[in-house]
Amino acid sequence: MAKILSFLSWNVEHFSNSQSRVELVVEAIAAKKPDVFALYEVKGKAVFAAMQEKMPNYNISITESESVVEILVGVRNSLSSFVTQRNELQSKTPTLRPGALATITKNDEVYSFLFLHLKSFADPRDWGLRDDMLQHVCSLKRKIERSLDGDKKANFIALGDLNTMGMSAAYNNDLDIDGAKELDYIDNRLTASVNGMRRLAKSYEATWWNGKSNWQPSNLDHVLAADHLKFKKFGTAEVEVSGWVDEATTAARKNWIAKHSDHCMLYGEVRS
């Protein structure tokens, strides 16, 4: 199978304009050579300017909202593309992050990459907001599909930090939902015929850890894709997870986290 487009998704954890950290992030992205990438938790316009300077081969865009952190998107400037902000992903909550939709044309086909940073935390309201945001993801895919000729399917990929940490009901433990159960709910919604999507298998399930012994690694970052699309295989997986998971010792993992981020990178390739 030939590569069509490669993509990278990474929550860089409160990414402000520290020159040393910008250089580390740029180096990590450049090693993967993605055609399109997104960074989450970007703080300030200074990071946008720094990324423009350090990555001249990419068109750089950033969302604008009342959120403290934004989504930064880079698309290789040799590609025909445009990036739009999807405010419906805020679920009528201005402090939440909007979605960033990169629309790329390759080989006369249009590919839509929706980059997401869903609501964090596990109380019922937060879980409900994530659920509503996911509903908007599915609705956008169907909207794109309705704009196409005939029965053509949308080449649609939604990816990012989905914060799938479950729900903790303060006054009724019987209602608690762990992260695995939340993912079951998501999978059931995606695979419904009206949505026609699936969650891609990753090379490593856990993508977040803060390096502290009282916190366990968590499965928070994901790639959701239209079910007709094909992807490069990394062993049995379709998404490569890299970062602190590649380090052999706990000390080395903590060092990587301190320098880069508590989230790993997700990388994948759409194939023909």
Side-chain angles (χ1 to χ4, degrees):
M1 295 190 295
K3 185 186 83 168
I4 299 175
L5 290 167
S6 58
F7 55 87
L8 182 146
S9 174
W10 189 14
N11 184 328
V12 191
E13 187 202 9
H14 303 299
F15 186 27
S16 56
N17 191 31
S18 159
Q19 182 176 349
S20 60
R21 198 165 180 221
V22 168
E23 289 176 354
L24 282 171
V25 168
V26 169
E27 181 182 3
I29 296 170
K32 299 294 184 183
K33 302 179 181 178
D35 292 312
V36 56
F37 70 86
L39 304 179
Y40 315 95
E41 295 200 21
V42 173
K43 301 177 72 174
K45 294 180 180 179
V47 176
F48 172 76
M51 295 297 289
Q52 279 189 314
E53 178 186 351
K54 298 287 186 181
M55 306 194 79
N57 294 328
Y58 289 84
N59 293 318
I60 305 295
S61 305
I62 192 169
T63 58
E64 293 185 353
S65 71
E66 295 181 24
S67 173
V68 176
V69 291
E70 301 291 347
I71 301 174
L72 182 144
V73 176
V75 183
R76 194 174 296 281
N77 54 25
S78 59
L79 294 168
S80 174
S81 69
F82 60 92
V83 176
T84 53
Q85 181 165 307
R86 305 301 305 194
N87 291 331
E88 68 268 31
L89 267 296
Q90 293 176 293
S91 294
K92 299 181 180 179
T93 306
T95 54
L96 292 182
R97 280 79 54 173
L101 181 67
T103 303
I104 301 172
T105 302
K106 184 74 179 289
N107 301 334
D108 297 322
E109 287 280 337
V110 175
Y111 296 84
S112 302
F113 292 86
L114 178 63
F115 296 103
L116 304 164
H117 188 185
L118 301 191
K119 184 70 175 75
S120 185
F121 302 118
D123 67 46
R125 179 178 180 272
D126 298 323
W127 187 91
L129 283 168
R130 283 199 298 278
D131 185 67
D132 186 64
M133 295 166 95
L134 184 64
Q135 182 174 324
H136 286 298
V137 171
C138 295
S139 295
L140 179 57
K141 192 250 187 188
R142 295 194 300 269
K143 181 178 180 180
I144 293 172
E145 223 141 48
R146 288 194 297 270
S147 72
L148 303 177
D149 294 333
D151 296 326
K152 193 170 184 180
K153 295 182 178 180
N155 297 319
F156 183 82
I157 299 170
L159 64 167
D161 180 1
L162 305 193
N163 275 314
T164 47
M165 56 186 65
M167 180 183 74
S168 178
Y171 302 107
N172 190 341
N173 292 338
D174 292 337
L175 298 178
D176 284 359
I177 297 168
D178 63 14
K181 189 64 175 178
E182 182 172 354
L183 285 171
D184 286 343
Y185 290 148
I186 289 173
D187 290 340
N188 288 336
R189 171 176 281 173
L190 294 175
T191 55
S193 59
V194 68
N195 293 324
M197 298 177 70
R198 62 189 179 91
R199 179 166 55 96
L200 302 190
K202 298 179 300 191
S203 60
Y204 199 93
E205 284 296 289
T207 57
W208 174 90
W209 185 47
N210 63 1
K212 298 178 181 178
S213 59
N214 58 326
W215 288 91
Q216 294 299 310
S218 297
N219 188 9
L220 302 184
D221 302 87
H222 307 279
V223 180
L224 319 175
D227 57 16
H228 70 280
L229 291 174
K230 299 176 182 178
F231 298 87
K232 177 181 177 178
K233 288 294 185 72
F234 301 90
T236 60
E238 295 169 299
V239 176
E240 180 186 49
V241 176
S242 59
W244 56 261
V245 299
D246 299 318
E247 302 297 336
T249 67
T250 298
R253 288 186 169 194
K254 289 181 178 181
N255 184 56
W256 195 96
I257 290 166
K259 287 184 176 180
H260 296 85
S261 174
D262 52 12
H263 284 257
C264 288
M265 291 180 285
L266 306 185
Y267 173 84
E269 295 181 8
V270 183
R271 294 281 177 129
S272 59

